[in-house]
Amino acid sequence: MRSNTELKRHNLLIGGECVEPGGREYSTILDPATEKPIAMVAQGTAEDVDRAVQVARAALKPWNAIRAAERGRILMRFSELLRTHQDELAELESLDAGKPIAGVQRQDVPAAIDTLAYYAGWCDKINGQVIPARPDALTYTVREPVGVVAAIVPWNFPLMIGMWKIAPALACGCTLIVKPAELTPLSALMIGQLALEAGVPPGVLNIVTGKGSIVGDALVTHPGIDKVTFTGSPSVGRGIMQGAAGNFKHVTLELGGKSANVIFADANLDKAARAAASGIFFNAGQVCSAGSRVLVQRAVYNDVVERLAARARSITIGNPSLHETKMGPLISSKQMKTVLNYIDIGKSEGASVVTGGRRSGESGYFVEPTVFADVEHEMRISQEEIFGPVASVIPFEDEADAARIANGTPFSLAAGVWSADIGRVHRMAAALRAGTVWINTYGYTDVRLPWGGSGDSGFGREHGDTAIETFTEPKSVWLSLAQ
Ligand code: NAD
């Protein structure tokens, strides 16, 4: 094992420079698969945040002085640089977050590249409108950047979710301070360097690593921040709304989920069970839209439980850097304990473990893919977000019963419906309270489609033209034509 003094030290990125944190403190980043240290990362302070905010404010003017089409070219170069470094980025993300390399190469990195390319195309298409209000005036709108943005990112998809915030903000002419999750800061630091190399002016994209309670809180309460875009847990999201109220910051919150994957008896059960398994076991269940509740019509309940359990047993768990690995570790010892505790809660509530239910191995934070049967809607494992590889399979009778159960949690991020009946799937799509409904498929996201939820899943939408609206503000202009 390498001693901490041999590990690479990563500083903050402020104003295009790598700077030491004010308190000269660094935290050790662990590989969740081996529990061994992999890097030292700066612990930012409130003073570092203040410096980053001043730099980002000063960068607003020069960034917006660049013609929109040229800004688009810079973002396109940024996207191409990600492609050039895709292998390095994938390895870094896989190591830092314990994500299986094949999945990072197939999803996380391409999605980040695509997101940047998509918003590069938006730069010169952010139009206002001429709105005829009266004959003696020319009245029109322009869309202006909201200003300095704080982007607070979770650890489950650090690169992809980070880019969902960075790309539209840059396209709209905003400047940013990104605060990656304490546990997974490495890809954000690399992205910050690639942005500079692509020609994003110094100070436009700053990366301040460190604790949520220090760096995150300083950003949320800083009067020089105009907008907070946050993805993370509902409890932190609630605090962010309160903290942001001081100067009435714009706030977008993408929070948790307890999504229902609803399988009717007339569905293609093989496809549905396969998708239900990847819907909950992908990324070891650490996915906001994980299909953590599998609702199955009673006539096929036992059949689907068996199919799901068989798929769970066939998953290759282990070293994330190997191509054959399908499931890696959870992100931390704390997360592993939380998940194992929920498994105990499920058992004590009377649900039965069909497969899994234990830690896997003795080092690394691995938990077996777990399927619970005999789950009742009111149980905690059916109501609370576990954020691990634990499926709760719940029986239902008919459409109304399925909708009642699916909509019966405080969350409303996503849902899935499986049926061969075209009328039924559309009735269910209408009945389900969710920001995204997948029909006879599960789990896809695309930057062109709005993404987000309501209730404990947050509010506001990322992606598409919706993000352009949330990173800009319309200004109405009146020009008198009176003689
Ligand atoms: P978290 O809320 O603990 O942390 C998220 C980020 O907030 C981190 O960067 C953290 O440092 C920061 N933070 C923590 N305390 C803060 C504070 N007081 N002020 C400001 N920032 C603070 O969440 P997590 O554990 O990293 O991620 C898991 C959660 O994220 C789950 O609930 C999951 O459902 C949710 N999530 C949602 C989506 C979505 O799109 N809806 C996507 C991914 C994850």
Side-chain angles (χ1 to χ4, degrees):
M1 192 189 294
R2 284 187 292 173
S3 76
N4 287 2
T5 48
E6 291 168 35
L7 293 171
K8 183 166 178 194
R9 276 179 172 233
H10 295 267
N11 282 315
L12 311 171
L13 181 67
I14 300 179
E17 308 278 339
C18 291
V19 297
E20 288 189 356
R24 302 278 183 279
E25 281 183 31
Y26 292 79
S27 62
T28 309
I29 304 297
L30 302 181
D31 170 356
T34 60
E35 306 180 36
K36 290 183 180 157
I38 51 173
M40 303 289 288
V41 171
Q43 292 265 20
T45 63
E47 291 71 34
D48 296 320
V49 166
D50 188 47
R51 188 154 35 133
V53 173
Q54 286 179 35
V55 163
R57 284 223 84 78
L60 273 173
K61 213 170 167 184
W63 184 225
N64 284 279
I66 297 174
R67 282 197 307 130
E70 178 54 22
R71 217 164 52 226
R73 275 191 285 276
I74 294 172
L75 292 198
M76 195 49 103
R77 268 202 301 277
F78 189 6
S79 160
E80 287 307 320
L81 274 172
L82 255 65
R83 194 183 304 283
T84 310
H85 292 275
Q86 58 187 349
D87 292 342
E88 206 182 324
L89 258 176
E91 279 164 25
L92 193 65
E93 188 80 337
S94 166
L95 177 69
D96 197 13
K99 295 159 85 79
I101 186 78
V104 180
Q105 287 171 336
R106 195 179 58 245
Q107 192 196 359
D108 303 60
V109 175
I113 296 170
D114 181 48
T115 300
L116 258 177
Y118 172 78
Y119 282 109
W122 262 106
C123 289
D124 56 0
K125 296 170 193 72
I126 302 172
N127 303 324
Q129 286 175 294
V130 176
I131 303 172
R134 45 190 292 161
D136 61 351
L138 171 63
T139 41
Y140 61 93
T141 61
V142 288
R143 294 205 78 95
E144 298 183 334
V146 291
V148 180
V149 172
I152 304 181
V153 180
W155 43 256
N156 58 344
F157 293 89
L159 173 66
M160 185 178 83
I161 293 182
M163 200 50 84
W164 287 355
K165 302 178 184 314
I166 294 169
L170 292 180
C172 291
C174 297
T175 59
L176 291 101
I177 295 133
V178 176
K179 196 213 88 63
E182 298 82 317
L183 300 169
T184 57
L186 301 181
S187 56
L189 291 163
M190 182 170 169
I191 288 293
Q193 291 297 339
L194 293 179
L196 288 168
E197 200 179 323
V200 174
V204 170
L205 175 59
N206 306 281
I207 316 287
V208 180
T209 51
K211 289 199 170 117
S213 56
I214 297 174
V215 175
D217 185 65
L219 283 166
V220 166
T221 51
H222 199 293
I225 295 284
D226 301 294
K227 173 179 165 92
V228 182
T229 165
F230 171 78
T231 301
S233 57
S235 60
V236 175
R238 197 165 282 120
I240 285 181
M241 262 192 96
Q242 284 158 355
N247 64 329
F248 300 105
K249 294 177 179 69
H250 296 238
V251 177
T252 312
L253 301 177
E254 304 289 350
L255 309 176
K258 191 73 189 174
S259 300
N261 207 348
V262 183
I263 303 174
F264 284 91
D266 65 352
N268 177 332
L269 296 186
D270 189 44
K271 259 175 100 176
R274 203 169 344 128
S278 60
I280 178 61
F281 300 130
F282 173 63
N283 211 39
Q286 303 167 114
V287 180
C288 50
S289 54
S292 49
R293 292 183 299 151
V294 183
L295 273 51
V296 185
Q297 200 160 19
R298 202 172 289 279
V300 293
Y301 183 81
N302 290 337
D303 185 352
V304 173
V305 166
E306 266 322 303
R307 287 172 194 255
L308 190 58
R311 295 211 76 89
R313 288 186 203 105
S314 73
I315 291 172
T316 318
I317 314 178
N319 183 343
S321 67
L322 300 176
H323 267 264
E324 60 268 28
T325 298
K326 292 279 183 283
M327 203 175 103
L330 298 177
I331 190 66
S332 63
S333 159
K334 182 168 164 247
Q335 189 65 15
M336 182 177 72
K337 286 180 188 145
T338 303
V339 171
L340 292 172
N341 186 41
Y342 266 114
I343 292 173
D344 286 342
I345 291 171
K347 288 184 201 159
S348 67
E349 284 179 313
S352 13
V353 174
V354 184
T355 187
R358 288 169 310 193
R359 182 177 183 181
S360 172
E362 273 151 28
S363 66
Y365 312 124
F366 296 90
V367 172
E368 294 173 344
T370 301
V371 176
F372 268 112
D374 307 319
V375 180
E376 284 166 23
H377 174 52
E378 295 72 21
M379 291 178 180
R380 283 184 65 191
I381 57 164
S382 171
Q383 288 290 320
E384 298 172 21
E385 185 177 47
I386 298 175
F387 226 54
V390 182
S392 296
V393 194
I394 308 167
F396 70 86
E397 306 301 333
D398 53 20
E399 285 180 33
D401 196 32
R404 176 188 66 85
I405 298 171
N407 292 341
T409 77
F411 300 103
S412 63
L413 185 62
V417 186
W418 294 83
S419 167
D421 180 333
I422 192 156
R424 166 178 285 161
V425 293
H426 284 293
R427 280 192 300 277
M428 288 301 293
L432 290 168
R433 200 164 49 82
T436 294
V437 176
W438 290 291
I439 298 172
N440 293 332
T441 184
Y442 197 86
Y444 285 95
T445 57
D446 189 293
V447 70
R448 290 150 195 86
L449 282 158
W451 179 251
S454 56
D456 280 14
S457 298
F459 62 84
R461 295 289 185 271
E462 296 196 288
H463 294 179
D465 55 353
T466 326
I468 299 293
E469 279 168 28
T470 66
F471 284 103
T472 56
E473 283 196 291
K475 176 184 275 181
S476 298
V477 182
W478 290 69
L479 172 85
S480 171
L481 298 176
Q483 288 188 327

